[in-house]
Amino acid sequence: MPTAIFQRSDTYTGTQDTRICSTNPAATYHSATDMNVAVNHVAVGDERILLRFDLASVPPAAAVQSASLELYLAQLVSGAGLASLEVYALAESWHETECSWQNRASGQPWQTPGGSLGTLLGTVAGNAIGAKQLASGALREAVQGWVSDPDSNHGLLVKAPADDEASTPYTNMLFRPGEYSGTAQRPKLALTYSVPVGTPALAYLSRTANSLRLSVAHGSPGDDPVAGTEIYLSGDPETPIADCPISESEVTLGSLVSGRNYYITARTYDASAPRRLSARSPELAAPAAPPPVRPVAVCEVFASLEDWPQSEGLSVSGNAAFASGQPPGGASRPVASGPAFRLQADIAVSKNANCHVGVSSGETVLSVGYSMANGGLALYDGAIWRTILSAASIQPGQRFHAQLLSDGCRISATVFPEGSLNEYHASFPLADFVPDSLLVRSESPQDKVARLGFRSGLSPFPDARFDHLMVVSSACPSGHPIRFRLPPSYDGSAGGHKACLLCHASGQYVWTFWETTTPPRKQLHDALLEDGWVLVLPEAATRHWGQDEMLSDVELACDYAARALGCQPRMGVFASSMGGLMAFLAAAACPDRFKGIAAVYPVCDLDDMFDGGLRSGENFHDYIASAYGVEAEGSSDPAYRQATAGHNPLALASALARIPMSIWHGAEDATVPLSAHSRPFAERVSAAGGSIALHEVPAAGHGATGEACWDIPSILSFLNACATGRIRSRLNRLLARRGRR
């Protein structure tokens, strides 16, 4: 059973203690080197001790089994002391450096002078030198309440009993404070607690004939660290058939019988020997055959942001569902090792663009279409183009119906010229190919592309859903792609979709938001999509630091989202770290494009990052100098000032005051310090009439140590409130009232 000791040391600084004095009711004693309990003292009257222990390291779900308080009585300064001193839970919060007999904090009086008393927890002796302990049931109950609800932890007060305060001859007892040089004599709170058992949870992911893939949410077997989860078949509940270590969240069960239903349970285990197991999970029924799944189309569009006539390039239509059923060709075919499928599309050949449609499985791509390099219609297997119809037989603008077919062991392609009965073929053997995505690709040296008809119905495939659109163009000043992620609810024929610009941190790419080992980024990405947001993701290619070409990319992305994807002309913004710099600069340049900005530990002061030198192993000075093409020692250098003019958010507060903002920043952030960035930035925006909420997150840092800053429900709630107009800046409200007059 875990034991926790709370006593001031090099590794624990969560003890607060002081004393208060009745004859000096306004005096504070936080810097005193001792703590006293006194009664009717000729000089100090009555004195009481206040102390508090920070218990944040104990899990909120923990059940406290025992609690003991230890104080060290070092000296009877005068008198004989008292046989017992009372220990109370305090009923009000207090500030260590500001509390006194009359005030619990500066300008905030106690409800009762001398400290607002809560429950009496017990007594300790005050008449003999040495350690004094309290280990009562009332103390354990109080500590349990503090663990379960940290906001209720107002600490303890030690005082003489009321009768003694009224009648006892003066006496003064000196106790050691948390700052005392000898650790053993400092105030100490010791706990033992247990962690409740939690069962794992299983969820169905996919099924083939002989295997089953599951997601695993590990439970807890009790107090010791979790090591993994065992998987069982219900027919043999005592013999695990698979093991999912704590580092994994998915498991695949193999050697299953085709056509059979399976029922699975799981138990989480710890690292002890023998293993201690949690309770068994609810039973999961896995179907005998894979359920129907709508294929997801990864639509890579190499394009400019300008429309291009449908007659040039690629036009896709018709049925593209993966068809199930008997493989074509009859029983004489070899036994299929993969699923049968059929893909159909219409292709308009321009002869100056590659355009093809197909399917993919991981890194393997199969497609059919026009190849400029090959000079005709061809079948592509990811490495080789197999000619179906030569370029000499094709007229510019001619349309073809193309079909890609698999019988489970061979891939074939057929093209039919429009208005003709002729057909042309190519094929090759391919075993064990299980498609998971549809692919539509059109590439042109002129950076042009046929629009895929987003506003008139995004998907040319009735049974497919596009979720990823990538635009790459020389029209983007940075030369980097702009990606758009489309939510499950997206309807290309409708308008008014809410959109969110995501600005990633230094050293990252946009795919960090959905292919990441850092959970908060993916959780936020998935939560926004699930809530119906179109995500706009300019690619900063790890580091940009706010130079103009990246801001131009943002402007193009906003235009494209509104014009081609039917998004609202004003969008929400989420940014983290360096991404905050890009978000603030883009918003200052075009405040009418954005409804609100949510940010996690954002860069608000470019000068501070330039002057900061090496932080968290990163030399931001060199990154910024490279981004702006400047050689300078510090931010006061005229060359730096000229190169970065207009690119420091801290100097743009008035331009940002019309946009509501909410910022989460860790109090222990050493990479982007709170005191140099979000705090002064929030003060300036607020002074300019803006609406900005700064959430200072205790004990949180940056990156991996700042995950507590990613309050995803609050971020999502703020962005939705901005999208619906429920949150507007104070300046906008004032301007609106003036307009009505």
Side-chain angles (χ1 to χ4, degrees), residues 95-125:
H95 195 289
E96 182 184 28
T97 64
E98 299 174 1
C99 70
S100 63
W101 187 271
Q102 64 187 21
N103 289 330
R104 59 189 183 91
S106 179
Q108 301 179 48
W110 294 102
Q111 291 181 358
T112 303
S116 301
L117 304 181
T119 304
L120 175 63
L121 306 180
T123 62
V124 294

Side-chain angles (χ1 to χ4, degrees), residues 549-561:
E549 52 266 32
M550 277 308 307
L551 301 180
S552 297
D553 277 7
V554 170
E555 184 176 359
L556 287 172
C558 295
D559 285 342
Y560 189 78

Side-chain angles (χ1 to χ4, degrees), residues 480 504-510 539-545 578:
H480 299 307
H504 65 74
S506 176
Q508 297 176 353
Y509 294 87
V510 292
E539 176 62 84
T542 75
R543 298 180 178 93
H544 63 83
W545 295 98
M578 178 194 72

Side-chain angles (χ1 to χ4, degrees), residues 373-612:
N374 181 267
L377 290 169
L379 172 63
Y380 182 58
D381 67 0
I384 300 173
W385 287 95
R386 291 172 170 82
T387 301
I388 303 174
L389 189 61
S390 68
S393 304
I394 302 172
Q395 299 299 317
Q398 188 174 4
R399 298 179 64 85
F400 293 85
H401 180 72
Q403 182 171 268
L404 190 65
L405 205 67
S406 172
D407 62 5
C409 61
R410 192 171 188 84
I411 303 294
S412 63
T414 306
V415 295
F416 306 86
E418 189 176 60
S420 171
L421 297 179
N422 296 325
E423 60 183 64
Y424 305 89
H425 308 274
S427 66
F428 62 93
L430 182 65
D432 300 318
F433 181 80
V434 181
D436 57 22
S437 295
L438 295 172
L439 181 78
V440 180
R441 179 173 291 156
S442 181
E443 304 160 286
S444 167
Q446 290 76 34
D447 294 307
K448 295 181 178 179
V449 69
R451 288 188 66 196
L452 297 182
F454 286 91
R455 294 304 303 277
S456 60
L458 166 65
S459 177
F461 307 133
D463 299 310
R465 173 176 62 82
F466 283 76
D467 74 344
H468 178 185
L469 170 68
M470 181 172 71
V471 175
V472 182
S473 172
S474 61
C476 299
S478 72
H480 299 307
I482 299 173
R483 298 175 188 262
F484 301 86
R485 300 287 289 192
L486 307 179
S489 59
Y490 182 82
D491 179 0
S493 63
H497 302 288
K498 56 187 181 181
C500 183
L501 175 72
L502 295 187
C503 302
H504 65 74
S506 176
Q508 297 176 353
Y509 294 87
V510 292
W511 48 259
T512 307
F513 280 103
W514 65 86
E515 295 178 6
T516 179
T517 56
T518 309
R521 292 171 177 80
K522 178 170 174 55
Q523 290 168 7
L524 176 64
H525 168 272
D526 293 349
L528 286 167
L529 286 177
E530 187 65 28
D531 199 54
W533 289 82
V534 172
L535 305 185
V536 182
L537 301 111
E539 176 62 84
T542 75
R543 298 180 178 93
H544 63 83
W545 295 98
Q547 60 263 51
D548 291 337
E549 52 266 32
M550 277 308 307
L551 301 180
S552 297
D553 277 7
V554 170
E555 184 176 359
L556 287 172
C558 295
D559 285 342
Y560 189 78
R563 179 169 51 81
L565 303 182
C567 295
Q568 298 171 7
R570 298 180 65 203
M571 61 178 62
V573 183
F574 174 81
S576 65
S577 194
M578 178 194 72
L581 179 67
M582 182 164 74
F584 295 141
L585 295 181
C590 304
D592 292 335
R593 289 186 180 272
F594 305 104
K595 285 190 172 182
I597 301 174
V600 168
Y601 40 72
V603 170
C604 305
D605 186 353
L606 186 66
D607 296 353
D608 175 74
M609 301 304 293
F610 189 71
D611 293 335

Side-chain angles (χ1 to χ4, degrees), residues 36-42 44-47 75-83 85 126-127 160 164 168-174:
N36 299 71
V37 176
V39 178
N40 297 322
H41 193 277
V42 64
V44 299
D46 293 341
E47 286 190 310
Q75 183 181 356
L76 297 175
V77 180
S78 59
L82 297 175
L85 300 174
N127 57 359
D164 290 327
T168 300
Y170 72 81
T171 186
N172 189 343
M173 294 147 281
L174 183 150

